[in-house]
Structure formats: structure tokens, C-alpha cells
Amino acid sequence: MATTSQTGSDPNLSIIVERNPSDARLSELGIRSWPKWGCPPGKLKLRYDARETCYFVKGKVKVYPKGSQEAVEFGAGDLVILPKGLSCTWDVSVAVDKYYKFDPP
């Protein structure tokens, strides 16, 4: 089931979280062939110059879009789409291990 989290007033900057996608969906996307990235708990300021699709193997994150007090929360087992143009702060409470892919420019 996909849930869209509205971040601010711009619908183009919405973060999409798909909870526990099926193995068939993950295979269809080719997740296991994507590069992996991880980080320890802490805070990161990020800006997305391209749309990122990622699948969380481990971890727990709250993302605070710039200019918003509302957080979008996701973690292990979630497929997440972060839109191009998003500036945000990641608050990582449990170390992250994820597969990721950026859209070509």
C-alpha cells in the first residue's frame, strides 16, 4: 500500500512511501541490482538534484522537509520516492542500510 506524504504546499515535492512492497514488486524494479548506501544514527541535511527511489533493508528515519515542522517517517521494509528539488533534514534514529537509484538527469 502506498501512502503519499504532503510536504509543504508544493505537491511536486511529496515524499511517497510504499509500506512492505511485495517480492514481485521489488524484483520488477530490480532493487537487488541497485547500489547500496548506509549511515549511522545522526542528522543529515540533503538536497535532491534528481528523484531518488530507495528500498530500506534496515533503519528508521524521520525526514523534515525544509520549511515544514511535519516529518515523514519510514524505515526497514519501505520503498520510498524522494522528489527532485526536495531540501530536507534526515533524522536517523536507527542506522540505515538501503538500496537506491537516482533518475537520470
Side-chain angles (χ1 to χ4, degrees):
M1 173 179 86
T3 58
T4 302
S5 297
Q6 188 66 32
T7 54
S9 59
D10 187 344
N12 295 320
L13 294 182
S14 293
I15 297 170
I16 298 168
V17 180
E18 189 176 327
R19 309 268 180 212
N20 299 309
S22 67
D23 287 339
R25 171 107 166 99
L26 297 177
S27 293
E28 176 188 305
L29 290 169
I31 298 278
R32 305 273 183 236
S33 68
W34 297 357
K36 280 184 104 175
W37 180 85
C39 71
K43 291 194 178 188
L44 304 164
K45 287 194 182 297
L46 299 172
R47 174 166 168 75
Y48 290 87
D49 294 326
R51 184 174 88 151
E52 180 186 4
T53 303
C54 50
Y55 176 70
F56 283 76
V57 179
K58 294 184 201 165
K60 190 170 184 181
V61 180
K62 280 186 184 176
V63 172
Y64 294 89
K66 188 175 181 181
S68 175
Q69 295 304 311
E70 306 243 340
V72 179
E73 201 168 341
F74 46 82
D78 291 338
L79 182 68
V80 181
I81 298 172
L82 299 144
K84 179 179 179 176
L86 177 69
S87 290
C88 60
T89 300
W90 277 41
D91 186 354
V92 180
S93 58
V94 177
V96 165
D97 187 17
K98 70 173 185 169
Y99 289 97
Y100 71 96
K101 181 182 87 164
F102 286 100
D103 284 0

